[in-house]
């Protein structure tokens, strides 16, 4: 090996938008290594179907043809079982060494020890660079910071956080990339078929909600402040570079965990964005990070859409998630958003068996008090390994280890809430009420009164029927709106259930 540069293949299951493997591909290509990327199937809300035998054969056949020395697999918790199985087939077909990385291997590296030659813990850029150099030199991988080898008893310390401004831009080229989907190998970067691009101006989050991977990262990084931001220069350069490749996208979604930046950064960004990019953009926001003057500046710069994580409306339920009681802030934000015609999506967590009737009513009250129009993303509570919320659910007898995501795969069927999932009558009624509260054509007073009706909440057929009907209307009106704006793509139609009434999400 010492006289030849090794060839790399990166694979990620059900994640055509995956940024992690694009970052690693950029790092490897910058260092001159031949790198291939395989997006193994695309992801759809509540409808993840196992790959067919043909698709696994196509994956292995494609990898064998490119002849990698190392295959890197990046994945999150739901895909653990699938990846463990497929990795064996990949090894047999290619003889390559296998490296696991991504969110799940980062905080549960022990789950990969049985099938991976190395498991990357934390940010992968320095780890993959070390792997490449050692492999090229024909040296062992032992001692690479953040890389757990099968014989290691414990996970080695993750490398220091990377300086985000020194990283190359994600690999946006079409070279050496395929998507395997529907029994076909489709060449090129599947992002090309999307109407928007996702960008991170930062990594990490200053909060630690009990259901979120950010809190679990404390087990890896300790109490170190994980939030780091990129310079405005670096962000703008990346978007401009992406535009040169994917001229087609019409919108930018900032996927930062929460769009929180100091005033000086905001001022520079808001001044330069309209001049240098000029596209509408979306952000995610935790109410704790809300600042009126920031939102006003961002609106003037092109902010069109805010996805706000409300999650819980009562102080008691917020505490279960290690969050602050922010109902009042959400209302203040809602009024500001209405004044500026901002599109708003409120994220809400449902199916929490620890929540009381009072907690549920508080959510219905909050949603009926927020200025319309707005949309809701209703999530079914899913518990991930190493999360505080799982510990509480288990300790209170609501969940067992076998139901933990990774062993179970609830997210394949029920990540966003839909009525095809079995749940108690009161929860069905609650989901219907939250969905109805967001519909401008349903009187808020009706929704509030229905939430107090024992008859309607114990026999929720009427409420769920009405909610399903209004969800279909909403889905098609969103589709029409996106069509008019030129943002409707086949990828989005498939992700959101296309023409299947069974799969209509509650929203
Ligand atoms: C964009 C996004 C999506 C996109 C793209 C998904 C994807 N696979 O990348 C979409 C909308 C499709 C999506 C869907 C889902 N998502 Co999502 N998503 C995100 C989000 C907001 C950003 C991900 C990202 O781009 N990060 C930035 C990149 C650079 O970081 P990274 O991917 O972690 O990669 C770094 C390291 O992990 C490592 N690494 C990664 N891969 C590899 C591979 C190798 C070989 C090595 C060495 C290292 C390595 O190096 C990378 C660079 O430093 C995260 C939250 C977050 N901030 O991470 C949630 C997050 C990843 N999503 C989550 C979830 C639950 C889902 C869904 C299950 C939800 C659902 N509706 O079903 C699906 C699963 C889809 C899937 N295949 O993973 C959870 C995962 C929790 C977990 N324990 O797995 C997260 C962490 C959100 C959260 N708050 O908990 N998601
Ligand atoms: S604010 Fe969002 S990203 Fe940050 S810890 Fe909470 S849920 Fe996770």
């Amino acid at each position: 090996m010492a006289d030849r540069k090794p060839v790399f293949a990166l694979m990620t299951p059900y994640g055509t938008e995956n940024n992690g493997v694009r970052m690693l591909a950029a790092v490897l290509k910058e260092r001159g290594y031949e790198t291939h990327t395989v997006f193994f199937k695309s992801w759809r809300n509540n409808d993840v179907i196992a790959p067919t035998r043909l698709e696994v054969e196509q994956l292995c056949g494609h990898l064998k043809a490119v002849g990698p020395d190392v295959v890197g697999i990046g994945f999150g918790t739901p895909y653990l079982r699938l990846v463990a199985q497929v990795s064996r087939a990949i090894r047999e077909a290619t003889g390559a060494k296998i490296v696991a990385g991504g969110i799940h291997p980062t905080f549960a590296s022990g789950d990969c020890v049985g099938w991976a030659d190395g498991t990357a813990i934390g940010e992968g850029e320095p780890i993959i660079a070390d792997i490449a150099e050692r492999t090229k030199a024909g040296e062992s991988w032992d001692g690479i910071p953040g890389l757990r080898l099968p014989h290691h008893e414990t996970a080695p310390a993750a490398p220091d956080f990377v300086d985000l401004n020194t990283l190359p831009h994600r690999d946006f080229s079409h070279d050496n990339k395929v998507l395997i989907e529907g029994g076909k190998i489709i060449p090129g970067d599947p992002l090309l078929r999307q109407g928007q691009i996702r960008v991170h101006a930062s990594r990490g989050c200053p909060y630690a909600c009990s259901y979120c991977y950010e809190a679990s990262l404390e087990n890896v990084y300790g109490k170190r402040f994980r939030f780091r931001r990129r310079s405005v220069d670096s962000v703008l350069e990346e978007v401009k570079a992406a535009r040169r490749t994917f001229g087609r996208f019409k919108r930018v979604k900032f996927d930062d965990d929460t769009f929180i930046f100091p005033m000086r950064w905001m001022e520079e960004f808001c001044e330069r964005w309209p001049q240098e990019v000029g596209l509408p953009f979306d952000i995610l926001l935790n109410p704790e990070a809300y600042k009126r003057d920031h939102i006003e500046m961002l609106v003037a710069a092109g902010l069109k859409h805010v996805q706000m994580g409300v999650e819980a409306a009562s102080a008691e339920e917020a505490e279960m998630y290690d969050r602050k009681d922010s109902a009042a802030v959400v209302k203040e934000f809602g009024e500001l958003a209405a004044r500026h015609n901002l599109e708003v999506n409120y994220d809400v967590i449902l199916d929490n068996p620890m929540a009381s009737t009072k907690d549920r009513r508080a959510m219905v009250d909050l949603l009926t008090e927020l200025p319309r129009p707005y949309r809701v993303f209703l999530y079914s509570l899913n518990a991930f390994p190493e999360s505080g919320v799982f510990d509480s659910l288990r300790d209170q007898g609501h969940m067992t280890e076998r139901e933990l995501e990774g062993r179970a795969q609830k997210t394949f069927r029920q990540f966003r809430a839909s009525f095809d999932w079995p749940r108690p009558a009161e929860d069905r009624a609650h989901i219907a009420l939250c969905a109805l509260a967001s519909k401008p054509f349903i009187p808020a007073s009706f929704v509030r009164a229905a939430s107090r009706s024992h008859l309607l909440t114990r026999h929720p057929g009427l409420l769920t029927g009405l909610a399903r009907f209004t969800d279909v209307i909403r889905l098609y009106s969103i589709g029409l709106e996106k069509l008019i704006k030129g943002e409707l793509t086949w990828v989005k139609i498939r992700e959101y259930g296309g023409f299947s009434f069974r799969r209509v999400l509650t929203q």
Side-chain angles (χ1 to χ4, degrees):
M1 176 63 62
D3 54 346
R4 180 178 79 82
K5 275 199 157 186
V7 173
F8 282 79
L10 301 169
M11 186 279 259
T12 189
Y14 297 86
T16 53
E17 287 142 320
N18 185 296
N19 294 312
V21 292
R22 284 189 177 82
M23 283 305 308
L24 302 188
V27 167
L28 289 167
K29 286 185 175 180
E30 190 183 43
R31 287 168 166 72
Y33 293 97
E34 181 183 329
T35 307
H36 298 261
T37 308
V38 182
F39 298 94
F40 187 48
K41 299 197 55 74
S42 48
W43 161 87
R44 288 194 259 169
N45 269 310
N46 289 2
D47 195 23
V48 176
I49 297 166
T52 60
R53 188 184 294 185
L54 171 67
E55 287 167 334
V56 175
E57 280 167 13
Q58 286 172 328
L59 170 69
C60 293
H62 177 77
L63 288 175
K64 191 174 172 190
V66 302
D69 297 286
V70 179
V71 175
I73 308 181
F75 66 99
T77 302
Y79 300 92
L80 173 64
R81 276 165 45 191
L82 170 87
V83 166
Q85 280 162 15
V86 168
S87 69
R88 291 191 183 100
I90 294 176
R91 189 192 298 281
E92 235 168 69
T94 64
K97 284 176 103 175
I98 295 194
V99 183
I103 293 285
H104 187 78
T106 289
F107 56 75
S109 58
D111 286 347
C112 312
V113 165
W115 52 268
D117 299 289
T119 303
I121 294 153
E123 289 174 308
E125 291 90 349
I127 304 176
I128 205 76
D130 279 354
I131 289 177
E133 294 308 312
R134 297 272 190 104
T135 310
K136 186 175 134 207
E139 291 170 8
S140 141
W141 293 352
D142 216 338
I144 293 180
L147 189 70
R148 179 171 183 179
L149 301 186
H151 65 270
H152 288 164
E153 287 298 314
T154 54
D160 273 346
F161 287 134
V162 292
D163 173 352
L164 302 181
N165 293 319
T166 62
L167 295 177
H169 295 151
R170 277 169 294 167
D171 175 26
F172 285 127
S173 78
H174 295 292
D175 306 340
N176 296 346
K177 285 188 195 159
V178 295
L179 164 68
I180 296 181
E181 180 57 275
K184 293 193 192 104
I185 304 181
I186 306 157
D189 192 320
L191 264 188
L192 179 71
R193 293 179 277 277
Q194 307 230 358
Q196 68 166 16
I197 185 171
R198 291 167 180 256
V199 178
H200 280 90
S202 64
R203 278 190 193 169
C205 176
Y207 307 102
C209 310
S210 69
Y211 52 82
C212 177
Y213 82 109
E214 279 287 347
S216 322
L217 285 181
E218 278 192 9
N219 302 342
V220 177
Y221 290 107
K223 292 274 175 208
R224 263 191 281 174
F225 193 58
R226 294 181 305 276
F227 177 79
R228 287 145 301 140
R229 61 176 184 272
R230 293 167 65 185
S231 68
V232 174
D233 252 341
S234 152
V235 175
L236 296 182
E237 282 313 314
E238 184 181 31
V239 176
K240 286 190 251 176
R243 246 182 142 176
R244 287 194 287 276
T245 318
F246 304 123
R248 179 171 173 201
F249 65 85
K250 296 194 159 59
R251 207 161 169 130
V252 176
K253 176 168 186 190
F254 283 96
D255 244 334
D256 300 81
D257 290 333
T258 184
F259 202 81
I260 183 172
F261 295 94
M263 192 56 164
R264 207 174 311 152
W265 192 98
M266 286 282 187
E267 280 169 352
E268 186 187 345
F269 174 82
C270 292
E271 192 186 320
R272 292 180 60 189
W273 181 269
Q275 293 162 12
E276 296 180 39
V277 179
L279 285 175
F281 62 93
D282 307 350
I283 62 167
L284 305 171
L285 196 66
N286 176 332
E288 279 188 60
Y290 162 76
K291 285 200 175 84
R292 186 178 51 78
D293 50 353
H294 282 186
I295 296 293
E296 284 174 340
M297 283 167 60
L298 290 166
V299 168
L303 175 66
K304 287 282 178 292
H305 180 109
V306 177
Q307 187 175 338
M308 177 168 268
V310 177
E311 319 304 2
S314 69
E316 292 76 13
E317 196 179 358
E319 203 185 324
M320 291 174 206
Y321 299 142
D322 290 338
R323 289 171 68 94
K324 281 212 174 117
D325 172 14
S326 24
V329 180
V330 176
K331 279 189 231 167
E332 190 190 318
F333 163 77
E335 275 149 29
L336 181 77
R339 281 204 294 284
H340 290 288
N341 281 328
L342 262 181
E343 297 164 15
V344 183
N345 249 107
Y346 295 110
D347 288 351
V348 173
I349 300 180
L350 303 169
D351 291 335
N352 176 358
M354 302 178 292
S356 65
T357 303
K358 191 171 147 258
D359 298 325
R360 292 191 187 91
R361 281 190 189 154
M363 181 54 80
V364 174
D365 289 350
L366 175 61
L367 292 176
T368 49
E369 283 163 24
L370 292 171
R372 291 153 156 188
Y374 66 83
R375 291 180 188 152
V376 279
F377 278 169
L378 304 175
Y379 296 92
S380 184
L381 179 61
N382 277 287
F384 288 90
E386 305 285 319
S387 64
V389 85
F390 173 69
D391 294 342
S392 311
L393 287 164
R394 184 199 47 213
D395 296 349
Q396 296 184 28
H398 296 296
M399 226 179 166
T400 63
E401 301 277 343
R402 286 179 54 199
E403 290 165 296
L404 187 60
E405 194 63 16
R407 289 182 201 152
Q409 288 161 330
K410 184 185 157 197
T411 56
F412 284 9
R413 291 279 164 270
Q414 197 65 186
F415 189 75
R416 297 271 296 277
S418 56
F419 286 111
D420 55 349
W421 186 255
R423 48 171 67 83
E426 204 187 345
D427 284 343
R428 290 175 68 75
H430 183 52
I431 293 175
L433 288 164
C434 292
L436 290 169
S438 73
K439 308 289 187 324
F441 44 88
I442 301 284
S445 54
F446 163 77
V447 181
R448 251 194 314 270
S451 73
R452 265 76 180 168
S453 158
H454 290 296
L455 184 70
L456 288 177
T457 50
R458 286 192 194 142
H459 305 279
L462 180 70
L463 292 176
T464 55
L466 191 57
R468 291 183 89 141
F469 178 65
T470 59
D471 283 339
V472 173
I473 298 179
R474 168 150 292 174
L475 190 73
Y476 285 101
S477 72
I478 297 173
L480 192 64
E481 195 185 304
K482 286 207 179 292
L483 186 71
I484 292 165
K485 288 185 188 159
E487 290 170 6
L488 192 67
T489 57
W490 278 112
V491 177
K492 283 284 156 218
I493 293 174
R494 281 161 50 87
E495 247 178 44
Y496 282 84
F499 302 102
S500 155
F501 282 89
R502 184 185 64 79
R503 286 191 38 230
V504 167
L505 299 175
T506 309
Q507 50 197 324

